[in-house]
Amino acid sequence: MHVLITGGAGFIGSHLAEFHLRRGDKVHVVDDLSTGQRENISKLIEHPDFIFDEADILVWDEFEQAISWADRIYHMAAVVGLFRVLSDPISVLATNISGCERLLRFLHKSHWNTKLIIASSSEVYGNHPGNVALNEKMDLYVSPDMNTRWNYSLSKLADEALGISYARQYGMDITIVRFFNVVGPNQTGKYGMVVPRFVRQAVEGDPITIFGDGKQVRAFMDVRDTVEILDRLCTSPKSKGEVVNVGNVGEITIESLANLVKKEAKSDSPITFTPYHEAYGDNFDEIYHRKADLSKLNSLI
Ligand code: NAD
């Protein structure tokens, strides 16, 4: 099988690339290395079935050709991470929406039996009221003050709308996955991801900095499970044209997470609390509870 991975030098993309090479597939990765890292794919570069192009999918000349070569496409390329979303709100919209739209346009011109997975995010649920597990039938919330913090969520929602529209209008085989918090090797803490940031701070003996009061609840999933789930979704005929949560059920507060990392790293780092406005600037909206209802995922795979 021929597999194209946009953003394949990033965290989840690099695990997908390894998974498919191990299985004997041919893998083509395109990544502009904006948040992805060459080290994530350095072990794969010499593999005879691996191709890497350092390119921006917004302007990449060979995108159409790469799409028509593929039997399966994972669209992972996006501007991600709260630090980047807050510092560069325009490129979040431009890259995330235009990149996805360009991909869909080329895919529609080539053959339509290619399976496409589009990465969306639990961020689209916004600040859903109440402490409930989020399911795909729920309304999605956007803050009334249109803080640019929501640009990421809006861009992912636009990608979902694009994907659903191409699937419905042309019968293309597209599945949209709303990732909750994925963690594992190759993830960087540079752009705001909490687990690698805490781990680095604990290992280097720096203060482990909790943003806010630490009572925020998250459920983290191992990237190896993510990869396996995406593969199963691709082979499930029922997943065609669907939007589905991909996450885990085990919940933890951010304060407990900091304590867990400190214990596992046998670290003497103090745990400190930084107010949101110092970490992210004024008008920051936090999402307090984020946990997934996984019934739909379970029914599909
Ligand atoms: P990542 O930053 O490691 O991966 C994204 C990759 O896309 C990077 O390698 C980056 O260099 C590349 N990229 C960005 N713009 C590009 C462009 N114009 N052209 C080519 N490549 C480009 O992040 P990740 O955690 O692996 O996320 C993968 C996908 O999953 C993203 O779409 C993200 O929004 C989504 N997601 C991830 C999580 C999570 O917990 N990791 C949660 C929700 C959604």
Side-chain angles (χ1 to χ4, degrees):
M1 180 166 59
H2 291 184
V3 181
L4 174 66
I5 308 170
T6 71
F11 164 49
I12 300 174
S14 57
H15 286 274
L16 284 164
E18 256 187 86
F19 172 87
H20 280 286
L21 286 173
R22 254 199 322 272
R23 231 179 39 181
D25 297 322
K26 294 189 188 309
V27 174
H28 190 167
V29 158
V30 54
D31 199 302
D32 68 355
L33 301 180
S34 49
T35 52
Q37 302 174 84
R38 209 172 270 282
E39 303 88 80
N40 290 348
I41 49 165
S42 58
K43 284 186 297 191
L44 316 178
I45 289 285
E46 299 299 316
H47 197 294
D49 293 329
F50 184 72
I51 307 167
F52 172 57
D53 274 296
E54 182 179 341
D56 176 350
I57 55 161
L58 296 187
V59 292
W60 187 36
D61 284 345
E62 290 158 37
F63 202 13
E64 185 168 2
Q65 199 187 333
I67 287 168
S68 62
W69 168 89
D71 303 303
R72 185 184 288 185
I73 302 173
Y74 296 100
H75 179 47
M76 298 291 128
V79 175
V80 305
L82 257 177
F83 294 157
R84 285 198 80 210
V85 170
L86 294 170
S87 67
D88 196 358
I90 295 173
S91 77
V92 175
L93 295 172
T95 301
N96 297 5
I97 301 174
S98 307
C100 187
E101 197 273 334
R102 190 164 187 244
L103 188 162
L104 285 163
R105 215 168 352 106
F106 287 148
L107 184 58
H108 170 240
K109 274 172 75 185
S110 67
H111 38 173
W112 301 346
N113 52 358
T114 304
K115 176 77 196 187
L116 170 63
I117 295 279
I118 297 177
S120 182
S121 167
S122 58
E123 281 273 321
V124 299
Y125 289 106
N127 243 331
H128 199 283
N131 175 10
V132 286
L134 301 164
N135 75 58
E136 299 85 348
K137 287 202 182 306
M138 283 175 171
D139 287 340
L140 308 173
Y141 285 78
V142 178
S143 173
D145 66 5
M146 283 309 293
N147 188 332
T148 50
R149 180 243 196 278
W150 297 108
N151 281 19
Y152 175 73
S153 138
L154 292 171
S155 72
K156 290 293 178 181
L157 202 51
D159 289 354
E160 290 194 7
L162 280 163
I164 293 297
S165 305
Y166 273 82
R168 303 257 158 92
Q169 196 166 332
Y170 300 120
M172 288 158 61
D173 190 355
I174 298 169
T175 302
I176 289 140
V177 290
R178 288 182 181 161
F179 289 132
F180 282 64
N181 294 73
V182 185
V183 289
N186 297 357
Q187 189 176 38
T188 165
K190 274 192 261 174
Y191 309 105
M193 309 307 182
V194 65
V195 173
R197 185 166 60 78
F198 281 180
V199 170
R200 188 193 52 73
Q201 290 170 332
V203 168
E204 292 181 1
D206 292 340
I208 300 175
T209 48
I210 292 174
F211 299 156
D213 63 8
K215 305 281 180 274
Q216 310 90 314
V217 175
R218 296 289 184 271
F220 295 92
M221 101 180 293
D222 188 314
V223 68
R224 288 167 295 188
D225 292 332
T226 314
V227 164
E228 183 74 38
I229 285 170
L230 295 189
D231 181 54
R232 289 196 200 177
L233 280 172
C234 286
T235 52
S236 158
K238 287 186 289 184
S239 74
K240 187 171 171 177
E242 297 293 334
V243 177
V244 58
N245 289 339
V246 171
N248 196 7
V249 285
E251 293 165 34
I252 188 166
T253 65
I254 296 299
E255 186 173 10
S256 304
L257 176 72
N259 281 304
L260 179 65
V261 169
K262 177 173 164 145
K263 178 168 159 259
E264 292 298 321
K266 298 186 178 57
S267 167
D268 296 327
S269 294
I271 294 177
T272 63
F273 294 83
T274 304
Y276 285 127
H277 68 270
E278 278 178 31
Y280 298 122
D282 291 335
N283 303 321
F284 178 76
D285 264 341
E286 174 60 301
I287 297 176
Y288 259 83
H289 291 96
R290 189 188 276 155
K291 53 185 183 182
D293 177 332
L294 300 174
S295 354
K296 183 168 181 183
L297 177 65
N298 290 330
S299 76
L300 294 179
I301 62 168

